[in-house]
C-alpha cells in the first residue's frame, strides 16, 4: 500500500538549542538529496553534518546533523530521516517550508505534513508495535515522575502485549476444545463430551481470576497517573503552609501570623522521591464561632478534602494545646479508614516534645508521629522518607498502566465474554458458549489491535499524540 511521505517537527515548538524535524516514507532519501544538494547516498544509522539548502534558490538554510534510517528497522517501519537543525523559529520554519515545496504529485512525489500521531500510527500499521506498546509510548511521554516512567515502560517494552497474548492463547486453546465438541460431538459419548466441557469451564475460571486480579492492580496503579492525594489538616497558624513550602522548595502558599490566611483548598502537584503527589493546603480548623462566613466554608471544604484523600498530614503546633475539634477530626478520619500522619511542628519553640502523649491523645500509633520544625528543617528529611514508604504502600509494588480504552475493552468485551460462557455452560449450550469465548478473544484483539475492524478505534488511540510523534 502506497502512503505519502510525511514530515513534522518532533521537538517542542519555540526557541531552543535544537529542533528535530522528522520525515518518514518512500521519499525520505529524495528529500535528503534535495536539501543537502548531494548525490552521495546517506549511510544508514550514521550521523553526518550537512549544509541544508533551499531546493529552488540554493540559498543556505542551516548546517544540521542528519540521520537516515533504512526500512524496515525504523520507528515507523519506513525509510526515516531526521534533521537536527538549530532550534531558532526562523530556521525551523525555513527547513519545513523547503520540504513542503518538494511536493510534486505530477511526478509521483507526494509529500505532506504529518497528521496528529501519524508517525506512531504508521509504526502500528507496519507491525512495529501493537496498540498496547503504542499507548505505552504515549504514557512515557506524559510521565512526570520516575514511578510513572517505570509503569509506562512495562507497556512500551512489551510486557502488556505478552500478558494479553498469553490470555488470548488460553482462550484460543479452549475454543479449540469446544470446537471439537461441536464438530465431532457425535463421535464422542456423552460422558466424554461433558468432561471436555467441564475442563474448559475450569480453565476459564482460572483465566477469569487472572484477568480480574490484573485489572484490580491496574486500578490500584491509577493513583500514579492522577497523583496521590495528600491533605494538610490542622488548626490555624499550625504551619501547614510553611510545611507545603518546605515540600515544594518554593513559596507556594502565603505564610502569615494572621489567623485564617488560607480560605480555600490549594492543590499543589509535587514530585516526592519519584511519586506524583497532589498536596492540598486547607483552611485551619478552629471553632466556627470565631470564623467569618468565608472561612466557615473553607473549613467545611478542608474536612471534605481530607475525607477524600489517600493520606492526611495533621499538622499540630507543639507550642499550644490540641483543640477538641482537631482531636475529633483526627479520630473521625481514622474511623473512616484514612491513613493519618501527625506532624508535630514548631519544635524550635519548646524544650522537649512528648510524642507518646500526642500519640495517645490522637489515637495514633507512634510510627505515625513525626516531630519537625519548618523553621530549622529538623525532621523534614525523616518525614519525606516516611511519606515515600506510605506512597509505595498506597500505590503498588509493581504498578501497571493500562489506557482507559483498554480497560473498557477488558471489562465490556473480555470479561463479558467469559461471563457469557459461564451462563451458557450452565444451560448446556456448547454453541453459544463457544461464541462467547470468541467474543472474549476478539476483545483482547481489540486491545492489541490484532483484529479486523481495528480502524474504528485508531482515532481514539492516536488523537492525543502530538503532531511529530
Amino acid at each position: 500500500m502506497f502512503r505519502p511521505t510525511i514530515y513534522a517537527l518532533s521537538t517542542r515548538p519555540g526557541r531552543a538549542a535544537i529542533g528535530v524535524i522528522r520525515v518518514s516514507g518512500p521519499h525520505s532519501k529524495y528529500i535528503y538529496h534535495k536539501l543537502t544538494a548531494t548525490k552521495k547516498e546517506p549511510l544508514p544509522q550514521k550521523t553526518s553534518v550537512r549544509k541544508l539548502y533551499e531546493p529552488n534558490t540554493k540559498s543556505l538554510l542551516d548546517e544540521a546533523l542528519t540521520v537516515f534510517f533504512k526500512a524496515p528497522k525504523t520507528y515507523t517501519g519506513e525509510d526515516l530521516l531526521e534533521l537536527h537543525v538549530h532550534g531558532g523559529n526562523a530556521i525551523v520554519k525555513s527547513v519545513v517550508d523547503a520540504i513542503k515545496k518538494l511536493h510534486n504529485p505530477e511526478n509521483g512525489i507526494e509529500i505532506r505534513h504529518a497528521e496528529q500521531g501519524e508517525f506512531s500510527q504508521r509504526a502500528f500499521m507496519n507491525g512495529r508495535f501493537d496498540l498496547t506498546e503504542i499507548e505505552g509510548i504515549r504514557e512515557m511521554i506524559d510521565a512526570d515522575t520516575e514511578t510513572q516512567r517505570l509503569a509506562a515502560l512495562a507497556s512500551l517494552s512489551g510486557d502488556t502485549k505478552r500478558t494479553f497474548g498469553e490470555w488470548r492463547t488460553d482462550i484460543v486453546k479452549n475454543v479449540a476444545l469446544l470446537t471439537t465438541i461441536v464438530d465431532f460431538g457425535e463421535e464422542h459419548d456423552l460422558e466424554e463430551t461433558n468432561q471436555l466441557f467441564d475442563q474448559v469451564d475450569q480453565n476459564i475460571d482460572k483465566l477469569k481470576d487472572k484477568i480480574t486480579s490484573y485489572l484490580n492492580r491496574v486500578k490500584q496503579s491509577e493513583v500514579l497517573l492522577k497523583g496521590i492525594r495528600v491533605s494538610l489538616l490542622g488548626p490555624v497558624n499550625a504551619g501547614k503552609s510553611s510545611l507545603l513550602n518546605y515540600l515544594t522548595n518554593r513559596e507556594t502558599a502565603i505564610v502569615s501570623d494572621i489567623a485564617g490566611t488560607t480560605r480555600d483548598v490549594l492543590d499543589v502537584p509535587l514530585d516526592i522521591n519519584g511519586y506524583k503527589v497532589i498536596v492540598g493546603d486547607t483552611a485551619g480548623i478552629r471553632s466556627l464561632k470565631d470564623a467569618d462566613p468565608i472561612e466557615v466554608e473553607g473549613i467545611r471544604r478542608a474536612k471534605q478534602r481530607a475525607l477524600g484523600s489517600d493520606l492526611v498530614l495533621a499538622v499540630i503546633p507543639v507550642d499550644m494545646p490540641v483543640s477538641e475539634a482537631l482531636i475529633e477530626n483526627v479520630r473521625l478520619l481514622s474511623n473512616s479508614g484514612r491513613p493519618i500522619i501527625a506532624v508535630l511542628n514548631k519544635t524550635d519553640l519548646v524544650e522537649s516534645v512528648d510524642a507518646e502523649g500526642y500519640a495517645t491523645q490522637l489515637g495514633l500509633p507512634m510510627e505515625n508521629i513525626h516531630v519537625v520544625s519548618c523553621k530549622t528543617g529538623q525532621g523534614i528529611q525523616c518525614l519525606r522518607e516516611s511519606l515515600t514508604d506510605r506512597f509505595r504502600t498506597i500505590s503498588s509494588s509493581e504498578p501497571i498502566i493500562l489506557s482507559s480504552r483498554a480497560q473498557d475493552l477488558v471489562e465490556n468485551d473480555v470479561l463479558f465474554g467469559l461471563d457469557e460462557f459461564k451462563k451458557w455452560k450452565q444451560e448446556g449450550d456448547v454453541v453459544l458458549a463457544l461464541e462467547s469465548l470468541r467474543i472474549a478473544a476478539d476483545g483482547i484483539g481489540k486491545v492489541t489491535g490484532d483484529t479486523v475492524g481495528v480502524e474504528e478505534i485508531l482515532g481514539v488511540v492516536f488523537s492525543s499524540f502530538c503532531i511529530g510523534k
Side-chain angles (χ1 to χ4, degrees):
M1 177 182 176
F2 173 80
R3 298 188 184 96
T5 297
I6 57 175
Y7 64 92
L9 176 67
S10 284
T11 47
R12 184 182 293 274
R15 183 180 299 176
I18 298 173
V20 179
I21 299 169
R22 175 181 277 177
V23 179
S24 179
H27 299 303
S28 296
K29 193 177 294 186
Y30 170 81
I31 292 173
Y32 171 83
H33 287 308
K34 285 293 185 180
L35 292 184
T36 60
T38 179
K39 295 182 179 179
K40 187 176 180 180
E41 290 290 296
L43 295 176
Q45 297 181 321
K46 299 290 184 181
T47 58
S48 61
V49 178
R50 293 285 184 268
K51 287 183 170 61
L52 303 182
Y53 300 93
E54 205 285 334
N56 297 323
T57 65
K58 304 302 179 184
S59 60
L60 181 65
L61 300 176
D62 192 21
E63 190 168 24
L65 184 71
T66 66
V67 191
F68 176 76
F69 302 91
K70 187 174 178 58
K73 294 184 179 181
T74 69
Y75 177 77
T76 60
E78 304 172 329
D79 282 352
L80 192 143
L81 173 66
E82 286 186 358
L83 304 173
H84 297 239
V85 302
H86 291 92
N89 290 328
I91 294 174
V92 171
K93 185 178 185 302
S94 67
V95 176
V96 169
D97 287 345
I99 296 173
K100 181 180 179 180
K101 292 175 183 177
L102 294 174
H103 175 62
N104 189 352
E106 290 79 9
N107 293 328
I109 299 172
E110 295 193 19
I111 300 170
R112 63 168 173 78
H113 197 276
E115 296 176 357
Q116 200 161 335
E118 191 169 5
F119 286 93
S120 294
Q121 184 171 346
R122 290 198 177 189
F124 166 73
M125 298 299 290
N126 291 324
R128 293 292 291 155
F129 302 99
D130 81 338
L131 287 182
T132 62
E133 292 168 311
I134 288 289
E135 289 172 329
I137 293 171
R138 184 185 62 198
E139 299 293 353
M140 180 72 77
I141 294 171
D142 293 339
D144 293 321
T145 64
E146 178 66 7
T147 49
Q148 289 178 330
R149 182 190 70 83
L150 292 173
L153 193 60
S155 290
L156 176 59
S157 62
D159 288 353
T160 305
K161 177 183 179 180
R162 283 187 288 273
T163 298
F164 278 78
E166 290 170 1
W167 295 349
R168 190 170 190 184
T169 298
D170 287 345
I171 294 176
V172 170
K173 288 179 179 178
N174 287 287
V175 167
L177 289 175
L178 289 188
T179 302
T180 301
I181 297 175
V182 173
D183 292 345
F184 306 104
E186 295 180 356
E187 300 177 13
H188 299 280
D189 57 38
L190 183 60
E191 183 178 353
E192 189 176 6
T193 298
N194 288 337
Q195 286 178 350
L196 279 173
F197 209 174
D198 289 340
Q199 181 60 52
V200 173
D201 189 37
Q202 293 173 17
N203 295 341
I204 295 304
D205 281 340
K206 293 177 182 177
L207 178 60
K208 185 179 177 182
D209 287 342
K210 286 182 185 178
I211 296 175
T212 302
S213 175
Y214 183 89
L215 205 57
N216 288 336
R217 286 175 58 197
V218 168
K219 293 185 181 301
Q220 291 173 0
S221 300
E222 283 184 343
V223 71
L224 292 174
L225 288 179
K226 298 177 181 177
I228 299 169
R229 291 172 62 82
V230 176
S231 285
L232 301 179
L233 195 69
V236 295
N237 287 338
K240 298 187 298 298
S241 296
S242 295
L243 180 60
L244 176 60
N245 290 342
Y246 230 112
L247 292 175
T248 59
N249 293 319
R250 65 180 188 271
E251 293 185 5
T252 302
I254 298 173
V255 178
S256 170
D257 293 331
I258 301 173
T261 304
T262 303
R263 299 300 186 97
D264 202 351
V265 177
L266 176 65
D267 282 336
V268 181
L270 301 178
D271 180 347
I272 299 180
N273 290 343
Y275 288 90
K276 182 178 181 180
V277 183
I278 308 298
V279 179
D281 186 16
T282 62
I285 304 297
R286 63 171 171 168
S287 174
L288 297 181
K289 62 181 174 54
D290 297 325
D292 60 48
I294 296 177
E295 192 179 352
V296 168
E297 175 62 17
I299 294 172
R300 185 192 70 80
R301 294 186 182 186
K303 294 178 179 179
Q304 186 179 37
R305 172 64 158 79
L307 283 169
S309 298
D310 300 304
L311 177 65
V312 176
L313 298 184
V315 184
I316 301 169
V318 295
D319 61 334
M320 62 178 65
V322 184
S323 69
E324 287 299 322
L326 182 60
I327 294 173
E328 181 183 341
N329 253 285
V330 169
R331 292 186 179 275
L332 175 65
L333 290 167
S334 293
N335 293 335
S336 67
R338 295 300 92 189
I340 301 175
I341 291 179
V343 181
L344 308 182
N345 188 30
K346 300 189 178 182
T347 56
D348 55 287
L349 299 180
V350 297
E351 292 185 0
S352 62
V353 177
D354 181 12
E356 290 186 4
Y358 278 99
T360 301
Q361 195 174 19
L362 297 170
L364 298 175
M366 273 299 295
E367 59 264 26
N368 287 26
I369 306 294
H370 282 267
V371 180
V372 307
S373 169
C374 289
K375 184 175 182 179
T376 67
Q378 174 196 348
I380 295 295
Q381 183 57 35
C382 182
L383 175 61
R384 278 180 175 273
E385 293 172 0
S386 179
L387 289 176
T388 302
D389 291 338
R390 292 278 178 169
F391 299 155
R392 193 176 294 116
T393 302
I394 290 171
S395 54
S396 172
S397 56
E398 295 182 7
I400 305 171
I401 291 179
L402 195 65
S403 70
S404 298
R405 179 195 69 86
Q407 288 185 51
D408 288 342
L409 288 168
V410 172
E411 292 175 345
N412 300 323
D413 285 44
V414 181
L415 289 179
F416 170 78
L418 299 185
D419 288 338
E420 286 293 290
F421 164 82
K422 297 292 293 183
K423 183 179 78 173
W424 294 116
K425 167 63 173 65
Q426 292 176 357
E427 297 288 333
D429 193 322
V430 180
V431 174
L432 290 178
L434 173 60
E435 185 59 31
S436 298
L437 290 188
R438 285 175 175 155
I439 291 173
D442 286 345
I444 293 177
K446 290 177 183 178
V447 173
T448 61
D450 191 23
T451 55
V452 178
V454 73
E455 291 83 1
E456 64 190 48
I457 57 175
L458 292 183
V460 176
V461 176
F462 297 111
S463 62
S464 59
F465 274 84
C466 61
I467 294 296
K469 196 58 181 160

